Amino acid sequence: MTATALALKVALGAALLGASAGLIGTFAVLRRQALLGDMLAHAALPGICLAFLLTGLRDPLVLSLGALGTGLVGVMALALARRWTRTREDAAMGVVLSSFFGVGVLLLTVIQKNPTGSQAGLDSYLFGEIASLQNRDVLLLGVLAAGLVVLFFVSRKELTLLCFDDGFARSQGWPTVLMDFLVMASVAVVTVLGLPICGVVLIAAMLIYPCAAARFWTNRLGAVAVLACLIGAVAGGAGVLIASPIVSAESTLGALLRNQSGSLPPPGPMIVLCGAVLFGFSTLFAPERGLVARVWRNHRLQRKVQREHLLRSLYELTEKQGPPTREISPAELATRYRAEPWAESWTLARAERRGLIDRNAESVRLTPSGAVEAARVTRVHRLWELYLVRHADIAADHVDRDADDVEHLLPPELIDRLEADMTREYPSSAAPEVNVPPSPHEIET
């Protein structure tokens, strides 16, 4: 088999493992059991060492059975610590994780002192080494991924309820213990099969990263699970290819990754780094929950708040003296619209560009369209003030600031209800958009 074919086969195996880890990791993360895979991986290390000491074989199947055995012992120890002691779950998980990993490192030291131990290569399980991945291993990972997909579609409703309201599921007589065991067993199988690829230290990242990244893109469980599958598969395949000569043979990336002896890093860390890159990309650029989108929404809200404060200030300054479009001096405006000079100048410039105001060096005034918008903004503010005075028992002379904090976020349905109440109390022949109720407090002019 050529190096290219071998790398592609290994990348396929890593992609299948990433898809499986992403799918089952979704339920582990949503069940707040994200570190369960990490604990299982560390608890599996003594099993790998014991299997080698007892059989003298480095067969992956034998080592995996040993890993699964001590992993299940670790789960039982965790369950006993939670059930019979006052130890919190996170503390119990940390105790089990570190204890089993300590035993595993001790057994590795014993194996290394054995004349044949140095050739066993068990230390590769710490960070992963999948160059020896066989066709049967890829087939097994494919069967695992297909089985998890079938499990997801068959038990989607039950798993959804288990993740979000297991108390209701128990009250309906659903076998929550069996479903929980099914999820934990699936996590254990994925963890054990992923040890040769990512290693004990890094396998937990394959369970956590895909779901954590997918949550930034959608809130629907089905979409999160599918997206986590794709992210896990991409991270697994890309990590292997980057760590292979196919991509890094002569490239600048390969020159950066190679150590002094000229060898590339193991695929495990590269898979995790690819997952971290996808997580970072999702954190920054997801359309709804990404950091960039949130900053942009906050910026737009701040612009809206400043613009509406300016329009309401101009409306209230002209409410009792003259038409809404009369000219206001800068000194007069400063009595109502209090903002930093740069913010005031910036808001005035934006309002002028939108055609809401006309201004020169000595005055500013609302345009006809700006007067209508200012009346609408003032009406919403006073509707909310009246609601707070009547239903939240806030004093009329203190309600202005409270209304300022919320009025810009009122949903249209609530505004409609407030307008209906106002129409009954203040009947007017004026158009709704300019029917502004009186302020419940004295306005400084």
Side-chain angles (χ1 to χ4, degrees):
M1 180 178 290
T2 64
T4 301
L6 176 62
L8 292 177
K9 181 188 72 175
V10 173
L12 175 62
L16 290 171
L17 174 65
S20 303
L23 180 57
I24 197 61
T26 297
F27 299 101
V29 171
L30 294 178
R31 290 278 294 157
R32 302 181 187 278
Q33 296 174 340
L35 291 179
L36 179 63
D38 196 22
M39 190 213 69
L40 276 168
H42 285 74
L45 184 59
I48 295 171
C49 297
L50 287 174
F52 177 78
L53 287 173
L54 293 176
T55 64
L57 301 174
R58 198 179 179 276
D59 184 86
L61 179 60
V62 174
L63 300 182
S64 297
L65 289 175
L68 184 61
T70 53
L72 293 177
V73 172
V75 172
M76 292 175 60
L78 174 64
L80 291 174
R82 289 165 48 190
R83 177 67 178 85
W84 298 107
T85 72
R86 296 173 62 89
T87 308
R88 289 170 55 91
E89 182 174 0
D90 54 348
M93 197 172 289
V95 169
V96 174
L97 181 152
S98 54
S99 300
F100 275 75
F101 188 65
V103 173
V105 173
L106 182 63
L107 291 175
L108 272 178
T109 304
V110 172
I111 292 173
Q112 292 298 324
K113 292 181 179 179
N114 189 300
T116 60
S118 59
Q119 300 174 1
L122 297 185
D123 53 348
S124 64
Y125 275 80
L126 290 177
F127 299 104
E129 179 55 63
I130 57 174
S132 59
L133 196 70
Q134 303 295 318
N135 290 335
R136 67 172 185 178
D137 300 325
V138 177
L139 179 62
L140 183 60
L141 290 170
V143 172
L144 172 65
L148 290 177
V149 170
V150 171
L151 173 66
F152 172 68
F153 281 105
V154 171
S155 309
R156 180 179 174 182
K157 182 173 66 176
E158 291 80 1
L159 291 173
T160 302
L161 194 58
L162 180 69
C163 290
F164 296 107
D165 198 346
D166 58 345
F168 178 76
R170 282 196 300 271
S171 69
Q172 295 298 307
W174 290 21
T176 55
V177 175
L178 177 62
M179 291 190 295
D180 205 17
F181 174 78
L182 200 58
V183 172
M184 294 176 67
S186 300
V187 171
V189 171
V190 170
T191 301
V192 170
L193 292 181
L195 288 179
I197 296 177
C198 276
V200 170
V201 179
L202 302 174
I203 184 61
M206 291 197 73
L207 292 163
I208 298 173
Y209 269 141
C211 176
R215 288 292 303 277
F216 282 100
W217 296 90
T218 178
N219 290 321
R220 298 175 57 191
L221 177 61
V224 169
V226 172
L227 203 53
C229 269
L230 294 175
I231 292 173
V234 170
V240 170
L241 291 177
I242 290 174
S244 71
I246 294 179
V247 175
S248 303
E250 303 295 338
S251 64
T252 305
L253 179 62
L256 293 174
L257 294 176
R258 290 181 185 279
N259 56 22
Q260 292 182 343
S261 61
S263 60
L264 291 166
M270 298 311 301
I271 292 174
V272 174
L273 286 177
C274 286
V277 169
L278 293 174
F279 175 77
F281 181 83
S282 302
T283 303
L284 290 175
F285 301 111
E288 291 295 330
R289 304 176 66 182
L291 186 59
V292 172
R294 291 177 59 185
V295 170
W296 176 244
R297 283 198 300 272
N298 288 337
H299 176 67
R300 292 184 61 185
L301 178 61
Q302 289 300 321
R303 289 193 310 182
K304 177 184 177 185
V305 169
Q306 291 297 327
R307 182 177 68 250
E308 292 186 349
H309 283 179
L310 172 66
L311 294 177
R312 183 159 58 84
S313 299
L314 291 171
Y315 182 89
E316 290 178 345
L317 285 170
T318 60
E319 187 174 13
K320 294 182 179 179
Q321 302 175 17
T325 55
R326 81 172 175 88
E327 293 184 345
I328 304 293
S329 67
E332 194 177 3
L333 177 61
T335 62
R336 289 294 301 163
Y337 181 65
R338 299 179 179 87
E340 296 293 333
W342 67 267
E344 179 179 342
S345 176
W346 179 70
T347 305
L348 286 169
R350 291 191 59 82
E352 186 177 22
R353 285 199 296 271
R354 293 170 69 98
L356 298 174
I357 64 170
D358 288 328
R359 64 169 178 159
N360 52 44
E362 299 178 350
S363 66
V364 57
R365 68 178 182 86
L366 290 167
T367 62
S369 61
V372 173
E373 178 65 10
R376 185 196 67 79
V377 170
T378 307
R379 186 177 81 256
V380 172
H381 175 81
R382 292 185 182 172
L383 286 173
W384 188 240
E385 282 185 330
L386 292 170
Y387 179 85
L388 292 177
V389 169
R390 294 173 183 175
H391 301 286
D393 294 331
I394 297 178
D397 55 348
H398 286 73
V399 76
D400 190 36
R401 181 177 299 175
D402 295 293
D404 273 349
D405 293 338
V406 181
E407 66 186 57
H408 313 283
L409 305 174
L410 295 180
E413 298 80 11
L414 180 56
I415 294 177
D416 291 341
R417 285 182 52 192
L418 296 174
E419 285 183 337
D421 293 342
M422 186 196 73
T423 302
R424 286 193 297 271
E425 188 159 348
Y426 302 99
S428 173
S429 58
E433 62 271 17
V434 295
N435 183 18
V436 181
S439 174
H441 56 84
E442 187 67 26
I443 295 178
E444 298 177 3
T445 57

